[in-house]
Amino acid sequence: MKEGISGKAIYRKDYTAYPWDVNRLDLHFEIGSETTVVRAQMEFQLKDGTKSPQAIVLNGSDLQLVSITLNDRVLSGEEYIIEGETLTIPDAPQNCVLRTEVKIHPASNSALEGLYLSGQFLLTQCEAQGFRKITWFPDRPDVMTTYRVTLEADQSEFPVLLSNGNLVDAGELTGGRHWVRWEDPFPKPTYLFALVAGDLALVEDHFTTRSGRDVVLRIYVEAENLDRCEHAMESLVNAMRWDEERFDLEYDLDIYHIVATNDFNMGAMENKSLNIFNSKYVLARPDTATDADYQGIEGVIGHEYFHNWTGNRVTCQDWFQLTLKEGLTVFRDEEFSADMQSRAVKRIRDVRDLRSRQFPEDDGPMAHPIRPDHYVEINNFYTATVYQKGATIIRMYHTLLGEDGFQKGMKLYFERHDGQAVTCDDFLAAMADANGVNLDRFSLWYSQSGTPQVHVSDHYDAATQRYTLKLKQHTPPTHEQKSKQALVLPFALGLLAANGDELPLQFEAEADAATGTRLLIVEEAEQEFIFINIPEAPVPSLFRDYSAPVKVFFDYSPEQLATLIAHDSDAFVRWDAAQRMAEDAILKQCLAHAQGLEMTLDPSLVRAFKGILSDQQADPALLAEAMTLPDEDYLADQMDVVDVDGIHAARKFIKKGLAVELVSLLTARFAKLNDGQPYQKSATAMARRSLKSICLSYLLETSAGESLAATQLESSDNMTDTLAAIKGLILMDSPLAATALSEFESRWKADALVMDKWFIMQAIKPGRKTVDTVRKLMDHPAFSIQNPNKVRSLIGVFSMLNPTGFHTADGSGYTFHADRVIELDGLNPQIAARMASAFNRWKRYDESRKALMKAELQRIAAVDNLSGDVAEIVNNALR
Ligand code: PHE
Ligand code: ZN
């Protein structure tokens, strides 16, 4: 990456250690919404073996400096240099105490980074580099110190004053003011600092750790939300217990606090003992939150809790190592959810998510390895690649080493690095050393970007009963990395007979055959496996459980896919085979559509889906996943030039065709699932609702659907059923949709999270009219461009999840969206940059759309004072 318009690239290879230890940080806040005064005192000590004298370099941004004192002497303006975001004190003494006083202005902070106002309370967000908006300090993760934080504020306006660690003292002051002091015994980097001040209510619970430590658990919310915390609390308790049982990791303080805010750039933040959450991942009641919301809460609560060890106790040396904590912690939360719910369903959903969000990254202008080599704005690297692909790489260690080997590696990792800021190499070394294996070749996964393609071919020789499988791997070049090498791929394989029986696998050199999945390792660009004593031409079941994050190509016949769908022992392969079959069918009809031919429905697809729908044994949630057709964006990724309208038409044609063919089965299954039982939160009930919703969505393609949806809406006692019904009515253009939406609105207009769903339902409606709806909705009283959840629900959903709306041929969707990016850039660059990435894949469209998108990108790039965040995204896209 060359220099961006407003930012310079930073390179991983340029890392140098900070020359100073900071032994202690004492912070004092005089809290006020308009102005907060921050006094900091820090003890600097030159690191052993560092040549002196050295300069002290601090980071700061948007700070109003009042004074700076070195060893009790106020420094004059000539004794330090402020340049951009750094303050340098040249030639500082080997041991010194630095004191600063600054003023900051939370109420006018719309970037939601640093200290800011949300509703009636103040809170902080410091990852990655928000601490520098609070005070001058070495704002980098490898500078760890212990914090003592004193918060002083008006008692009635800010009755609750929280920070990390333990409450050690508190008192009252004159004039209705009070103060509270917190001490965190664990040294931590700046990004894990947090404070919260305001009028919040709380729910409380307890957890006793395995060794007997009593931990008080509190969730702080605005008072009206007190009845929506139960699920989050239950998830927290489950997460704490699970981490003890599965990872042998116990909580290390007496307090665990969670605060929910409506104004948050991301999902949640793992600040030591004071997690801050987007309220979307805390608040739930059956009538306000869907099953997906409940599952999201469980996952994110778990994720932030698990960071206490993987992220906080052992943190990152620099931001290039982000996946060290994020990939690992996502892996841990995936495993947690898998253990709590259905492992197979969780795996399928995670793979779907990887394919639809991460594969496009690898294939676009922002492609990067899970451990990037450079960045302009680190906030742009909180990506599906670092998180989700990062987690699949951790999963491969697990697959290769097994649960025991993996846990041995984790144990060694903590033994070596507890309390340190380390690198991905350190993690790999711990895994290798604990298991006595060499993982040097595996390490390529950290530095190579792109999605590997594996082309598999086979040959069966009936005379010798030998079966040969040949794998060729190849990773297409990415924009920043042209040449690629062969990767280590765990390859989980099974072979099926035509009747669906699993065939025993035996290599030539082996005395016996083994039945079931076999884990093989692929490490060359081309590799062959030969099996003996195979009695018939088998159907290969490839990369079971998605054992490596690759695109697999094999020329399956429809019969072979049908065998896998009906019989494979691996739920992922069964699901994947159904997806492949549906994908082939849709893409074929898309081609027909483009050639002006009549579209047709392949009977083998009908048969396969009939089989799925008739399965009374399998988990209904698995069947729901199998019946969900690949989404339009995923299908678009499979085309050389995206045919937006063709994909939509073909997918709709197939869905309707299946619905018509299977209407009686769908009706019967729907009726059976629609048993009139009151809402339950159990995994079984959720699984049944998911199949019920997908059955309804098919039925809505037939004349039977509308009245079923209307009845479901009337009798629904939960948000999952309600949304399935309203969404269905909107999609089918039912005259009932308008009433449903307005009733929903009048019931929930004061409820921010529920109104997000109301915006989403309208923003996602296909077709060229939606851009006008979205534009109008921006004037709705419940909408605010300052609020990230609202922006994501209305603008983000429209531009990223509604292809026929966004890519409307006249370009009106693009213009609307570019205007929003520009508007947002002045308010919240992080969110603006996320939104700007909707244009990332503009080169994959037809000439006319390409030109329209390019023009909008250029218009954004030309804006005066564009943030570094957005500049990096659009400059990359344009390059
Ligand atoms: N570290 C947070 C998580 O993944 C995400 C986050 C990043 C939140 C940056 C806020 C800002 O759990
Ligand atoms: Zn995380």
Side-chain angles (χ1 to χ4, degrees), residues 534-545:
I534 303 289
E536 62 173 275
V539 184
S541 168
L542 304 168
F543 289 93
R544 281 185 165 169
D545 203 36

Side-chain angles (χ1 to χ4, degrees), residues 125-128 191 264-270 300 303-304 307 322 325-326 329-330 379 382 387 830:
Q125 172 51 45
C126 293
E127 189 176 4
Y191 82 90
F264 206 65
N265 285 343
M266 308 281 271
M269 181 62 214
E270 70 264 24
V300 178
H303 181 96
E304 306 313 328
H307 267 314
L322 185 57
K325 74 177 178 81
E326 295 304 347
T329 305
V330 171
N379 288 323
Y382 285 76
Y387 276 66
Q830 276 185 49

Side-chain angles (χ1 to χ4, degrees), residues 339-519:
D339 284 343
M340 294 292 121
Q341 308 258 332
S342 151
R343 174 161 290 273
V345 173
K346 176 66 180 151
R347 186 75 190 121
I348 287 166
R349 290 184 182 152
D350 290 339
V351 175
R352 196 201 292 284
D353 185 59
L354 185 82
R355 287 176 174 169
S356 67
R357 299 198 303 122
Q358 198 279 323
F359 284 15
E361 266 175 27
D362 263 342
D363 193 33
M366 284 292 290
H368 54 277
I370 65 162
R371 181 189 57 201
D373 286 320
H374 48 72
Y375 59 75
V376 174
E377 177 48 71
I378 184 57
N379 288 323
N380 286 331
F381 286 80
Y382 285 76
T383 57
T385 301
V386 167
Y387 276 66
Q388 274 71 36
K389 186 177 179 182
T392 70
I393 286 150
I394 302 294
R395 186 171 294 282
M396 284 192 284
Y397 284 104
H398 187 271
T399 305
L400 293 168
L401 303 171
E403 170 74 5
D404 286 352
F406 186 80
Q407 294 297 349
K408 267 197 242 161
M410 291 297 295
K411 196 162 173 245
L412 185 61
Y413 175 63
F414 291 123
E415 268 167 32
R416 284 181 179 172
H417 302 300
D418 188 11
Q420 300 173 7
V422 303
T423 65
C424 298
D425 293 336
D426 294 319
F427 181 83
L428 181 131
M431 283 288 156
D433 295 350
N435 288 281
V437 296
N438 184 321
L439 292 171
D440 293 355
R441 290 196 66 179
F442 185 79
S443 70
L444 187 60
W445 279 107
Y446 284 96
S447 55
Q448 182 164 294
S449 60
T451 311
Q453 302 187 349
V454 181
H455 288 266
V456 185
S457 55
D458 68 347
H459 174 73
Y460 178 65
D461 185 25
T464 57
Q465 301 211 325
R466 289 160 77 93
Y467 179 68
T468 309
L469 260 185
K470 193 166 169 184
L471 280 78
K472 280 192 192 176
Q473 61 159 310
H474 154 81
T475 303
T478 49
H479 77 91
E480 43 35 294
Q481 204 178 53
K482 297 302 168 214
S483 77
K484 307 283 181 182
Q485 292 163 255
L487 289 150
V488 178
L489 310 176
F491 174 45
L493 172 75
L495 297 179
L496 299 196
N499 70 358
D501 287 352
E502 186 108 20
L503 297 169
L505 301 186
Q506 186 177 7
F507 285 118
E508 198 136 49
E510 291 174 339
D512 298 305
T515 313
T517 304
R518 225 160 145 161
L519 182 68

